[in-house]
Amino acid sequence: MLTPARRHFESVMAQNRGTAANTMADLTAYEQMLHRLRIDKNRFRGIQNNKLKADTKAEALPNYQGWVDGVLASDSGQADEVLTTVMLWHVDAGSIAEALRIGEYVIRHHLSMGDNFQRTAAVVLMDEICDPVLSHFKASQSDVPVSVDLLKALDGLTANEDVPEAVRAKLWKCIGYTLRTNSETLDEALEYLRKAIAEFSEIGVKRDIEILDRLVKKAASNVPESTEELNGGGNSGADIPRSAVTAMTVINGESVPLAAGPVVLSQESGNAPAVDLVATDSATVPVIAEAGGAEATVPAAETPAAEPAAKTPVKRGRPAGTKTAAGKTKTSAAAAKKTTGTAKARTGAAAKTAKPQ
């Protein structure tokens, strides 16, 4: 770990390297940084585990912070292998924000990435950031490895750069997948995925677009239904369900059909007529107020109810224990006829017995 004094010295040396007054000491400082860089590279090559290698790079990065700050402050645009290498180490260590800070300088000055890279700085930066993001989303679609703000900053940073269509589509795919993790940004995620497949048809987001499109349409059509009161909600008294009342109202022992329109039962002399309701499923009537109450209106049902799965037959007719005058007369005649027949049978039997042998 560098001391603050050593870090300040390297920062000053980096700034002086960018000026016209280069001295041998300045060149020696850069060579010292290159020497340190090569030592660390050799050390990293001996580590096979990628996570351990990334942790080791994160431990070594503070030793280069003074030099990086000095180069960025000078803004000279000179080729600098130390700076470009440290930029990629920040990506490996997960310090994306610092990598983009350095990347802005590198891309703006079109610095070379060194002999080991055949790609430009913009392409390298996009590949090195996007590949781990896509690998992460294959394992988990809910966690976000890199914030969408940093990915959009990378998109803006490389917007005017010459990059292959597949690389640009890869970046938009990462942005779309990241936005997809938030239910409030599904529309924007769908837009980025469509841009990605339009840029490069083999990017592999066709299925994702179909699923996301259905989710967006479902969310747009998911409007809560408004609730309305049945029958206007202004009737006084409780309404009996449609399937619980009959279309025949029995008043004082006589059957009165339920009218198609509203029926008004008027109260006379302070006495309300007695009303019996027999269960059926043909109409809806309100409960009649007790004697002494106000005039009640019985509205016919206006809203059809759903047909029940199985209907129970209801026997219609007069209430139990009630007989009409015609019924009573018919019953008396039948009884008299039965008595006459019985008397004739008895007389015939007696005459047969009295006949001489």
Side-chain angles (χ1 to χ4, degrees):
M1 181 67 68
L2 294 180
T3 63
R6 181 65 183 180
R7 184 177 302 175
H8 174 72
F9 170 78
E10 292 179 354
S11 177
V12 172
M13 292 296 100
Q15 294 182 46
N16 291 340
R17 182 171 178 264
T19 63
N22 280 338
T23 62
M24 187 60 64
D26 299 333
L27 297 176
T28 303
Y30 179 63
E31 290 176 354
Q32 289 179 358
M33 297 301 302
L34 287 176
H35 179 68
R36 182 187 302 168
L37 186 72
R38 293 186 180 96
I39 292 176
D40 285 338
K41 280 184 175 182
N42 292 331
R43 182 161 58 98
F44 297 154
R45 290 192 187 100
I47 302 175
Q48 299 183 19
N49 185 276
N50 290 330
K51 187 178 184 306
L52 179 59
K53 184 181 296 186
D55 294 339
T56 306
K57 288 180 179 180
E59 294 175 357
L61 283 173
N63 297 332
Y64 298 88
Q65 193 62 45
W67 182 265
V68 169
D69 292 339
V71 172
L72 297 183
S74 66
D75 199 22
S76 63
Q78 285 185 312
D80 195 323
E81 182 182 351
V82 176
L83 186 68
T84 55
T85 304
V86 170
M87 177 187 70
L88 295 182
W89 286 0
H90 274 291
V91 174
D92 296 337
S95 306
I96 306 300
E98 181 64 15
L100 293 181
R101 187 175 79 98
I102 301 174
E104 190 277 332
Y105 174 90
V106 174
I107 293 175
R108 179 162 52 86
H109 291 288
H110 302 284
L111 299 186
S112 173
M113 292 300 300
D115 297 335
N116 295 331
F117 294 92
Q118 302 298 324
R119 298 166 292 173
T120 63
V123 175
V124 171
L125 200 58
M126 295 169 72
D127 281 338
E128 296 301 319
I129 292 178
C130 293
D131 286 343
V133 172
L134 293 180
S135 298
H136 178 88
F137 277 124
K138 288 182 179 179
S140 175
Q141 297 183 1
S142 58
D143 298 333
V144 177
V146 179
S147 69
V148 69
D149 293 334
L150 292 176
L151 292 175
K152 287 183 177 180
L154 176 61
D155 188 25
L157 184 65
T158 60
N160 298 324
E161 298 299 314
D162 181 20
V163 299
E165 290 82 356
V167 177
R168 179 72 64 190
K170 185 196 306 185
L171 175 56
W172 288 342
K173 181 179 180 179
C174 290
I175 297 176
Y177 278 4
T178 306
L179 292 170
R180 188 179 59 179
T181 60
N182 189 345
S183 60
E184 297 181 357
T185 56
L186 295 181
D187 292 339
E188 190 178 3
L190 182 59
E191 178 184 351
Y192 270 100
L193 292 183
R194 285 173 174 168
K195 286 172 57 178
I197 198 172
E199 183 76 8
F200 184 65
S201 60
E202 302 299 326
I203 192 60
V205 295
K206 182 177 180 180
R207 181 60 177 167
D208 297 311
I209 291 175
E210 294 175 356
I211 297 175
L212 194 57
D213 187 42
R214 288 197 295 268
L215 291 176
V216 171
K217 290 180 179 179
K218 182 179 180 180
S221 62
N222 189 16
V223 180
E225 299 180 356
S226 59
T227 56
E228 297 179 358
E229 296 181 356
L230 296 176
N231 298 327
N235 293 336
S236 59
D239 282 351
I240 300 175
R242 177 186 179 90
S243 60
V245 297
T246 183
M248 186 71 69
T249 304
V250 181
I251 302 178
N252 292 336
E254 295 185 2
S255 300
V256 180
L258 188 63
V263 179
V264 180
L265 302 180
S266 301
Q267 177 180 328
E268 298 180 359
S269 304
N271 295 322
V275 178
D276 296 328
L277 299 180
V278 182
T280 187
D281 60 351
S282 57
T284 302
V285 297
V287 176
I288 304 303
E290 297 180 356
E295 185 180 63
T297 301
V298 184
E302 297 177 357
T303 304
E307 185 177 358
K311 294 185 179 180
T312 304
V314 180
K315 185 178 181 181
R316 302 187 182 186
R318 57 180 175 273
T322 304
K323 291 185 177 181
T324 62
K328 291 180 179 180
T329 303
K330 185 176 180 180
T331 303
S332 300
K337 184 177 181 179
K338 183 177 181 181
T339 302
T340 303
T342 303
K344 287 181 179 181
R346 290 178 180 175
T347 303
K352 185 175 180 180
T353 302
K355 186 177 181 180
Q357 302 294 328

